[in-house]
Amino acid sequence: MRSHLLNDTTAERYRRTVTEGVERVAAHLAATDRPFTGIAVDALAPRIDGIDLDRPLHDTAAVLDELEEVYLRDAVHFHHPRYLAHLNCPVVIPALLGEAVLTAINSSLDTWDQSAGGTLIERRLIDWTAARIGLGPAADGVFTSGGTQSNLQALLLAREEAKTDDLASLRIFASEVSHFSVQKSAKLLGLGPDAVVTLPVDHDKRLHTVALARELERCRRDGLVPMAVVATAGTTDFGSIDPLPEIADLCARYGTWMHVDAAYGCGLLASLKYRDRIDGIEQADSVTVDYHKSFFQPVSSSAVLVRDAATLRHATYHAEYLNPRRTVHERIPNQVDKSLQTTRRFDALKLWMTLRVMGADGIGQLFDEVCDLAAAGWELLAADPRFDVVVAPSLSTLVFRYVPAAVTDPAEIDRANLHARKALFASGDAVVAGTKVGGRHYLKFTLLNPETTTGDIAAVLDLIAGHAEQYLGESLDRAS
Ligand SMILES: *Cc1c(COP(=O)(O)O)cnc(C)c1O
């Protein structure tokens, strides 16, 4: 069994095994013609349940054959131009190279003595990102597992900076289309059930700053503590960007921590054309960025940045065995001092390889392309009487619904749209997402693939209309 351990004597086996896997995946990708096979849970589950985990195959080729059956063949493919559903991007090849390297070396980024250059590379990328945001000379941050963890950590720092033991008095302000991890964080942080004040949005799905000003004032009047405002730079549902400069002004006036959730909109940090859409982000106290959403990085790759490095001390604990206090005086960089995690992947390497091979402009150009695609898609939808489209895109998301002229019952239109999404998924021809707007069911394209064309968008819209019409036709038959 020792021959399976990676070391100097097994380097050749490692090369052969990984190459075999890479070749399988490459062949699989070359043969993929749909984003999904449409397989149902009940069809796939028995294949996985049927495998006896106590009887290994002892043969990589046989295991790869089996993997084709239980996973690869029916995987949902984000790289396919007709995968238009969630905030998943196709990944860039330099990042995959980084992934291969980081798992083989297996550095752990909690301490210098488990990572050496890994720690320094991560710190350079944090500094690079903070500089792109414009956070100033005292900025810092750390890589995280994702936007959810970044938001949690940012709100932990905000809670500590609010400097009160009366957790029930703390309030967080966020728009009604902010990410649900804000609510989850409030709960994890021990805040009261009323902690998150949900604010309305304007016609463009941006936080209403008049409402924010009113609620901040009310908070002060009621003797409560305005702990944080969460501004979203790229809402998950609409890609809308809250008015950051106005929010920054209000935060300054009320002494409130400004957190910008740019999990999605961070791609604009590299944009060649649309960087100004997130102007004001430089005034944040903390920022969430998900490179695995708009920097074309594989899951996971994310970070939380802060304006003032000193605030990260709220996440610091010293363990004798790991990062004893004296290491701080010895100026040994232990990233665990800043992180909610302990053992932690060297995810930063993927972004490093990407920047070194493609450059930030390369990433920005790809993200600009999907923003332009969304603008073209919006024009298609706005001109098409079969569809109602919600808001012109600020990033790369389109929310719309099929509205047949002959049907007036909104509940029936809801059902037709729900059916179209399901039928499309089951067909495997395309994958789209859904959400609710004003209590009604809508469909959603999140465009993150520069290979998707307006032709793909038009074709998927026709497929949606076809499935919805079929449903409505059958529904008429049922009624008569
Ligand atoms: C996706 C998303 C998150 C959560 O990020 P994960 O990486 O999925 O944990 C948070 N906020 C916004 C606005 C998002 O779109």
Side-chain angles (χ1 to χ4, degrees), residues 1 106 111 113 150-151 212 218 231 243 258 262 273 278 303-304 321 323-324 331 356 398 410 419:
M1 284 299 134
N106 200 29
T111 56
D113 72 359
S150 295
N151 284 347
L212 175 61
R218 187 205 305 268
M258 178 179 176
K273 288 159 74 177
I278 47 168
V304 61
Y321 80 91
N323 59 333
R331 299 169 58 87
R356 296 310 295 141
L398 296 167
H419 171 84

Side-chain angles (χ1 to χ4, degrees), residues 112-289:
W112 164 257
D113 72 359
Q114 300 174 76
S115 59
T119 283
L120 301 180
I121 286 175
E122 169 166 309
R123 288 161 77 105
R124 274 296 302 278
L125 289 168
I126 288 293
D127 290 347
W128 178 86
T129 307
R132 287 248 160 190
I133 296 170
L135 284 179
D140 199 359
V142 71
F143 272 65
T144 67
S145 62
T148 302
Q149 190 189 344
S150 295
N151 284 347
L152 172 62
Q153 181 161 357
L155 291 171
L156 166 71
L157 306 185
R159 185 193 74 183
E160 297 302 296
E161 288 294 309
K163 299 188 172 71
T164 172
D165 292 330
D166 181 10
L167 297 187
S169 72
L170 296 174
R171 292 293 177 271
I172 300 169
F173 302 85
S175 94
E176 58 185 303
V177 291
S178 63
H179 195 262
F180 68 90
S181 55
V182 175
Q183 314 271 343
K184 217 187 244 190
S185 298
K187 192 165 184 178
L188 284 164
L189 292 170
L191 309 189
D194 304 322
V196 180
V197 179
T198 304
L199 299 165
V201 289
D202 65 13
H203 179 74
D204 294 324
K205 306 293 177 191
R206 293 151 43 101
L207 186 148
H208 231 300
T209 46
V210 175
L212 175 61
R214 192 180 55 230
E215 289 299 325
L216 282 167
E217 188 51 40
R218 187 205 305 268
C219 180
R220 179 149 80 182
R221 212 174 45 231
D222 293 349
L224 301 170
V225 182
M227 173 187 126
V229 176
V230 177
T232 311
T235 58
T236 316
D237 263 350
F238 304 99
S240 49
I241 299 169
D242 289 340
L244 304 177
E246 290 89 330
I247 292 170
D249 287 349
L250 285 167
C251 285
R253 190 174 330 150
Y254 287 88
T256 301
W257 183 279
M258 178 179 176
H259 176 62
V260 177
D261 180 355
Y264 176 12
C266 64
L268 294 183
L269 294 172
S271 170
L272 309 176
K273 288 159 74 177
Y274 306 121
R275 171 62 177 78
D276 60 344
R277 291 181 186 177
I278 47 168
D279 280 355
I281 194 172
E282 71 284 353
Q283 298 186 65
D285 293 294
S286 56
V287 179
T288 288
V289 296

